[in-house]
Amino acid sequence: MNEKKESAFFSIRDLNVQYKSGAQTVYAVNGVSFDLAAGETLGLVGETGAGKTTIAKSILRILPPHAVKKMEGQVLYEGEDIFQMNDTELRKIRGHQISMIFQDPMTALNPVKRVNEQIAEGYIQHHHCTKAEAEKRAEEMLELVGISADRAGEYPHQFSGGMKQRVVIAMALACSPRLLIADEPTTALDVTIQAQVLDLIKRLRDELGTSMILITHDLGVVAGICDQVAVIYAGRIIEYGTKADVFRHPTHPYTIGLFGALPDLKKDVERLSPIEGLPPDPTEQIEGCAFYPRCERRCEKCKSYRYEPTRLSDTHTILCCNPAGEGEEK
Amino acid sequence: MSNLLEIEHLKKYFKSARGTVHAVDDVNLTIEAGKTVGLVGESGCGKSTLGRTIVHLQESTDGVIRFDGKDVTHLDKKQMLEFRKNAQIIFQDPYSSLDPRQTVQDIIQEPMRLLTKDSKAEIEKKSDELMDIVGIEKRLRLSYPHELDGGRRQRVGIARALALNPKFVVCDEPVSSLDVSIQAQILNLLMDLQDQLGLTYLFITHDMSVVRHISDYICVMYLGQMIEKTDKKSLFDQPLHPYTKALLSAIPTVDIDAQPERIQLKGEINSPIDPKPGCRFAKRCPYAQHCCHEPVPLTEVQPGHFVACHRVKEINQL
């Protein structure tokens, strides 16, 4: 939704993804665009079904082909469109230049393979090295994520949840990718373990200079780790800005609603202000703004809204035709 | 106010191939009528087991449970049915806790059909009222759980728990599987119901901001034991146990200007199988010393503030 920056090393242009669901069409992603500068971290925030994971998986083209009805747009990595690549070109990028940490460490690992083999697998593919070299790399990676190399020959079930997620991180970073996509990397973990894993991701990102797209539903996680924030609703980025833009001056009524619905750790609030209603049915194509039925600021204009972005500043954009103005009660 | 629930030295052990799992180990707890006690801790700390043992979904291994002044530790079948009318539970997962082959109205009516002598018409009237109270549209009477979204399913679970007018409800992570905007709807509903019906809650959660919002008192569990117990204000203003401090510091906050100083804990939660005597947190505790291998009881450190830590006074300069 922001204009193309010359320096962007990764961008998505007008991504649309639709799934088949029986006779129906699921409109999962409806025109998403963003740029990511090298070394930056973008947080994609949104609720279940908003389209976050679909965006992530389309970047690497790992959506199940039989379920996808339409996948359009451009995913530009250093100017090359990933959607136009053939399989050989794609394999050079996947897991090497761009890799992914999946949400659930229990299912992301192969239960019948030792963890060092799993970490080494991608490294052998991309570096054409011997098994011994790759396993040495696997041990280095395990040490890097805080697991003793002695345990390299163990199976996933011998590790706890937090350690499995560390193994997944080691796997994703083994080839020193330039872009890391982390899909809810800590959602399955307890808070104290989450804190350890987030600090680890942050430290490795900074040491290795990796760019990152972090997908989460937790605004607190975004606040701790991201530079840019994109709030997603019904398959669209409805607010985009720097962390300061979105956290200090949330402007889209949905973003404001999300902050209002969070119980506060420091303040006593008599009653939470939930966003009334439910997210729209993704099988329906909606005329006008998708947030309309739940929005506190809805007006006639919204019914025919065509998603022209409103620029609030150089860095801050929203998709809303009736936002609260400066100084107005939000 | 009188205590609705009193638990003394409650234990729940499970046998496993590798030894005995001390899921709940010598826990004392009282809940005043009409109040909410929040029970927090990380996965595997025994908080759900404690909740399920209290409502007799599992039999306790040892200890006493008193409900409304009566000893309910061991119940025969008839007494159990009577007890169930007063003590109910809302489960974490609204997907697996509803029978997929029953309609919404069957699910809500089932407790009344089983445990009351009300006529069919009365039960139908009551179930419609319950749907109103928890905010489920009546057109959904004949829908099946798979046709509902997570928030509505949780509302059905709440209506079922309330069908027998219980005094006490264990809420076992009722909002953990819901999105924030829906979570707020359900939390408001639970608080409104407490006001209207005078309910008493044991609210189990791993989310510190949720527990702060809903509870009057808070208990923190670690590996089967209660390690800190006090009113909400003291716990958040002045946490005394090193684990509680670390837990609070680990929570990601949306305040980008005041990111917490993290207290990094080493390692992960130990195994609850045949634990050694002494403080179970010692292995991860930044303050652990030799004395921490001695058993440590929960003691009143300040008025109404109970902590199980040998070095609590030193660490907090009390």
Side-chain angles (χ1 to χ4, degrees):
Chain A
M1 63 196 283
N2 43 358
E3 276 138 45
K4 189 168 180 174
K5 286 181 216 152
E6 303 229 331
S7 63
F9 104 109
F10 179 82
S11 2
I12 289 187
R13 289 277 155 269
D14 203 22
L15 179 69
N16 283 281
V17 183
Q18 294 167 9
Y19 295 114
K20 286 176 279 198
S21 168
Q24 289 176 311
T25 303
V26 176
Y27 299 89
V29 180
N30 305 302
V32 161
S33 304
F34 62 80
D35 292 302
L36 186 66
E40 269 193 351
T41 297
L42 168 71
L44 292 184
V45 214
E47 298 182 284
T48 319
K52 311 182 291 285
T53 301
T54 303
I55 296 174
K57 291 192 170 171
S58 17
I59 294 174
L60 285 172
R61 285 173 48 191
I62 49 174
L63 289 169
H66 57 87
V68 175
K69 187 175 177 195
K70 184 173 128 185
M71 190 164 92
E72 281 176 2
Q74 287 180 305
V75 176
L76 300 166
Y77 173 71
E78 304 207 294
E80 300 271 336
D81 188 353
I82 292 181
F83 282 6
Q84 303 301 327
M85 288 179 183
N86 63 31
D87 284 356
T88 326
E89 289 167 322
L90 184 61
R91 289 185 92 169
K92 283 190 186 142
I93 302 255
R94 224 188 235 165
H96 189 197
Q97 307 283 332
I98 305 179
S99 66
M100 185 153 171
I101 301 174
F102 294 92
Q103 170 166 3
D104 183 1
M106 326 295 158
T107 53
L109 293 169
N110 183 339
V112 295
K113 244 177 143 178
R114 298 173 198 278
V115 297
N116 57 352
E117 292 176 73
Q118 300 193 47
I119 300 171
E121 201 176 356
Y123 196 75
I124 296 177
Q125 279 285 329
H126 293 297
H127 292 81
H128 311 289
C129 61
T130 64
K131 205 174 163 212
E133 282 168 327
E135 280 181 2
K136 195 167 154 275
R137 173 73 180 169
E139 284 175 19
E140 280 168 29
M141 290 311 298
L142 283 173
E143 294 276 355
L144 190 67
V145 297
I147 296 176
S148 152
D150 307 342
R151 302 195 60 181
E154 293 184 12
Y155 291 94
H157 75 266
Q158 292 169 288
F159 294 90
S160 65
M163 289 176 97
K164 276 194 212 121
Q165 195 57 300
R166 285 163 194 266
V167 172
V168 173
I169 293 171
M171 225 159 108
L173 293 177
C175 293
S176 319
R178 298 200 46 217
L179 173 63
L180 180 66
I181 304 168
D183 186 3
E184 305 257 12
T186 55
T187 306
L189 307 175
D190 277 317
V191 271
T192 59
I193 311 299
Q194 162 169 293
Q196 290 174 2
V197 171
L198 285 178
D199 284 345
L200 172 74
I201 293 177
K202 241 194 312 199
R203 181 169 60 80
L204 295 176
R205 172 197 68 182
D206 296 343
E207 279 173 16
L208 309 171
T210 317
S211 310
M212 188 158 91
I213 297 175
L214 177 82
I215 294 170
T216 177
H217 66 279
D218 188 334
L219 286 163
V221 170
V222 173
I225 200 164
C226 297
D227 307 304
Q228 307 284 330
V229 183
V231 184
I232 312 213
Y233 187 77
R236 283 191 179 84
I237 297 177
I238 52 96
E239 180 151 5
Y240 185 97
T242 63
K243 178 163 73 181
D245 289 335
V246 175
F247 282 76
R248 290 218 178 87
H249 313 289
T251 309
H252 194 287
Y254 175 67
T255 317
I256 296 170
L258 274 186
F259 281 105
L262 280 179
D264 199 303
L265 256 184
K266 296 196 184 110
K267 277 200 304 271
D268 281 314
V269 193
E270 262 309 294
R271 256 182 102 72
L272 299 170
S273 345
I275 304 173
E276 294 303 334
L278 297 168
D281 181 347
T283 60
E284 277 166 31
Q285 253 189 324
I286 303 151
E287 262 312 290
C289 179
F291 188 57
Y292 176 82
R294 306 176 75 187
C295 185
E296 291 191 343
R297 299 187 56 84
R298 59 176 172 250
C299 62
E300 273 310 303
K301 280 190 289 184
C302 310
K303 286 186 188 163
S304 52
Y305 181 54
R306 314 273 310 190
Y307 291 102
E308 292 94 15
T310 309
R311 292 183 74 94
L312 304 168
S313 72
D314 284 349
T315 52
H316 195 180
T317 317
I318 54 168
L319 289 185
C320 175
C321 59
N322 189 29
E326 234 6 83
E328 228 181 302
E329 183 73 27
K330 280 182 181 173
Chain B
M1 268 297 207
S2 58
N3 290 332
L4 182 68
L5 183 80
E6 291 171 334
I7 293 166
E8 282 166 24
H9 304 293
L10 192 72
K11 290 181 187 169
K12 176 66 194 173
Y13 293 172
F14 296 100
K15 291 231 162 58
S16 84
R18 284 182 293 156
T20 307
V21 179
H22 294 225
V24 173
D25 212 354
D26 203 1
V27 164
N28 296 313
L29 175 71
T30 54
I31 306 182
E32 266 179 57
K35 298 282 185 198
T36 300
V37 170
L39 187 59
V40 286
E42 297 183 280
S43 30
C45 73
K47 51 190 193 308
S48 287
T49 304
L50 178 57
R52 296 171 67 97
T53 309
I54 291 172
V55 293
H56 285 267
L57 287 176
Q58 293 152 345
E59 285 306 299
S60 53
T61 308
D62 195 19
V64 180
I65 306 171
R66 263 193 297 276
F67 186 82
D68 221 357
K70 285 192 281 290
D71 187 337
V72 295
T73 320
H74 304 286
L75 299 172
D76 63 29
K77 210 171 170 190
K78 208 171 143 219
Q79 292 166 321
M80 182 77 86
L81 296 179
E82 205 49 43
F83 175 71
R84 286 270 156 83
K85 287 186 194 168
N86 282 316
Q88 283 288 327
I89 182 165
I90 300 166
F91 295 97
Q92 167 168 9
D93 181 1
Y95 297 80
S96 61
S97 60
L98 302 177
D99 182 346
R101 318 242 291 189
Q102 282 194 333
T103 61
V104 166
Q105 125 179 330
D106 287 340
I107 293 171
I108 299 176
Q109 290 175 359
E110 191 172 21
M112 295 185 273
R113 283 200 304 270
L114 292 175
L115 292 175
T116 67
K117 295 194 175 73
D118 294 350
S119 69
K120 211 174 161 210
E122 281 169 325
I123 289 177
E124 261 166 28
K125 190 164 156 265
K126 182 86 196 289
S127 89
D128 278 0
E129 281 169 20
L130 283 163
M131 288 178 75
D132 255 344
I133 293 176
V134 301
I136 309 169
E137 299 86 333
K138 298 226 182 57
R139 64 179 168 84
L140 299 174
R141 269 193 207 110
L142 297 176
S143 304
Y144 288 92
H146 75 267
E147 297 172 283
L148 309 180
D149 59 89
R152 283 213 181 82
R153 278 186 233 196
Q154 199 53 293
R155 287 174 197 266
V156 174
I158 294 172
R160 175 178 61 185
L162 297 179
L164 298 167
N165 299 322
K167 292 180 184 156
F168 174 67
V169 180
V170 172
C171 310
D172 188 2
E173 305 254 18
V175 295
S176 318
S177 62
L178 307 174
D179 276 316
V180 252
S181 70
I182 311 299
Q183 168 180 307
Q185 295 174 5
I186 299 293
L187 286 175
N188 281 347
L189 171 66
L190 287 170
M191 292 176 86
D192 291 345
L193 291 171
Q194 179 166 44
D195 285 347
Q196 288 161 23
L197 310 171
L199 295 170
T200 306
Y201 290 142
L202 177 66
F203 197 96
I204 300 171
T205 177
H206 65 279
D207 186 329
M208 295 301 273
S209 45
V210 167
V211 89
R212 179 177 204 272
H213 183 70
I214 202 161
S215 312
D216 300 300
Y217 298 95
I218 296 173
C219 302
V220 184
M221 275 184 87
Y222 191 82
L223 270 181
Q225 295 180 326
M226 214 65 103
I227 54 134
E228 186 155 3
K229 189 157 84 171
T230 183
D231 61 278
K232 165 167 76 179
K233 194 171 179 321
S234 316
L235 191 93
F236 280 89
D237 290 353
Q238 200 193 12
L240 296 177
H241 195 286
Y243 175 66
T244 315
K245 289 176 194 234
L247 195 61
L248 286 172
S249 84
I251 303 160
T253 150
V254 292
D255 188 346
I256 55 172
D257 300 312
Q259 287 291 312
E261 262 312 293
R262 286 237 173 93
I263 303 168
Q264 278 284 4
L265 289 183
K266 278 174 281 165
E268 310 200 5
I269 201 160
N270 324 4
S271 157
I273 296 173
D274 298 321
K276 294 195 183 72
C279 174
R280 292 183 186 173
F281 181 59
K283 233 174 135 182
R284 300 174 75 193
C285 181
Y287 304 100
Q289 277 184 352
H290 205 68
C291 64
C292 300
H293 298 298
E294 300 295 318
V296 53
L298 195 65
T299 33
E300 191 162 9
V301 178
Q302 286 179 333
H305 198 149
F306 296 81
V307 185
C309 173
H310 285 293
R311 301 190 63 205
V312 60
K313 294 214 158 133
E314 245 175 288
I315 294 166
N316 296 290
Q317 289 153 4
L318 297 175

